[in-house]
């Protein structure tokens, strides 16, 4: 009798470029920055029709690296609506982005006592949906075990956008900075 044994090693690589691209796109959509950029592009473009045609051709030839999933789209829609509610708190510095990709209350005393409960509920709901987004985004990339990596990438993107918008965020040590 002849016995054959084999050892197969399968390496599954985290698609970091796709993950970063997805996080940037999603964060900008949630914060409404994609619309602002789109309007600026329209105003600055000499020939907007040509730009639209070029983008369409590129999208056809090079499909999106991470098109998302229906679950991801649902979560993003909820986060977009809630961001509109949280935006005044970001603008005033009451809340900010934490180093782990969540929203944190930075200065609860700056909120009227009757509004504090509402703010806490908004932040808790937002953080719950953020966790769901990171999980669903990892699944859409092909591996649910990448959730922590996805969360870290999203955290970097939230902070990048916070810096550009002048919002508070936590640095690596957890200190709030603007």
């Amino acid at each position: 009798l002849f016995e054959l044994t084999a050892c197969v090693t399968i390496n599954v690589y985290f698609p970091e470029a796709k993950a970063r691209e997805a996080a940037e796109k999603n964060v900008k959509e949630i914060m409404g920055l994609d619309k602002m950029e789109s309007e600026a592009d329209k105003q600055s473009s000499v020939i907007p029709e040509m730009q639209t045609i070029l983008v369409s051709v590129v999208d056809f030839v090079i499909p999106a690296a991470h098109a998302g999933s229906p679950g991801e789209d649902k979560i993003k829609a909820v986060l977009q609506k809630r961001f509109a509610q949280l935006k005044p708190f970001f603008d005033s510095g009451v809340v900010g982005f934490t180093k782990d990709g969540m929203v944190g209350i930075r200065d609860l005393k700056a909120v009227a006592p009757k509004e504090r409960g509402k703010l806490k509920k908004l932040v808790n709901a937002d953080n719950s949906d953020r966790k769901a987004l990171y999980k669903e985004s990892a699944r859409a990339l092909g591996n649910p075990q990448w959730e922590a990596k996805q969360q870290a990438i999203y955290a970097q993107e939230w902070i990048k956008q916070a810096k550009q918008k002048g919002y508070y965020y936590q640095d690596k040590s957890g200190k709030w900075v603007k």
Side-chain angles (χ1 to χ4, degrees):
L1 286 171
F2 179 65
E3 189 175 315
L4 181 65
T5 60
C7 179
V8 177
T9 302
I10 299 173
N11 291 321
V12 179
Y13 295 99
F14 179 66
E16 190 165 342
K18 287 181 184 181
R20 287 195 185 286
E21 182 180 317
E24 180 178 9
K25 176 184 172 284
N26 289 342
V27 166
K28 286 182 176 181
E29 286 179 13
I30 290 165
M31 293 177 74
L33 301 175
D34 60 325
K35 294 173 188 141
M36 291 170 53
E37 287 176 359
S38 176
E39 287 300 314
D41 289 345
K42 285 179 187 175
Q43 291 174 4
S44 67
S45 179
V46 177
I47 307 174
E49 297 83 15
M50 290 301 293
Q51 183 179 8
T52 302
I53 292 168
L54 181 60
V55 169
S56 298
V57 169
V58 170
D59 284 346
F60 178 74
V61 175
I62 306 168
H66 175 77
S69 70
E72 200 173 8
D73 291 341
K74 280 183 176 180
I75 297 165
K76 278 191 325 191
V78 171
L79 285 167
Q80 279 178 311
K81 288 179 184 175
R82 194 172 305 108
F83 187 81
Q85 295 174 294
L86 285 168
K87 189 175 182 320
F89 297 108
F90 279 107
D91 291 341
S92 65
V94 170
V95 299
F97 294 103
T98 65
K99 64 182 180 177
D100 63 349
M102 299 296 168
V103 173
I105 299 174
R106 198 186 71 75
D107 186 9
L108 190 59
K109 292 178 184 174
V111 178
K114 65 179 182 174
E115 295 292 315
R116 291 177 184 170
K118 176 185 170 187
L119 176 60
K120 287 178 183 179
K121 286 180 183 177
L122 278 172
V123 168
N124 288 338
D126 203 67
N127 286 335
S128 177
D129 288 333
R130 284 168 183 267
K131 288 177 186 175
L133 177 66
Y134 305 148
K135 184 176 188 167
E136 182 60 23
S137 186
R139 193 194 65 71
L141 283 169
N143 195 332
Q145 287 79 22
W146 291 334
E147 182 179 342
K149 290 180 180 182
Q150 253 324 78
Q151 184 170 344
I153 286 172
Y154 269 89
Q156 292 169 2
E157 188 60 36
W158 290 116
I159 289 170
K160 176 182 162 187
Q161 297 305 324
K163 288 177 182 178
Q164 292 178 3
K165 293 294 293 174
Y167 295 152
Y168 277 94
Y169 62 92
Q170 287 181 333
D171 65 13
K172 290 180 183 181
S173 71
K175 180 183 172 196
W176 289 106
V177 293
K178 191 170 183 178

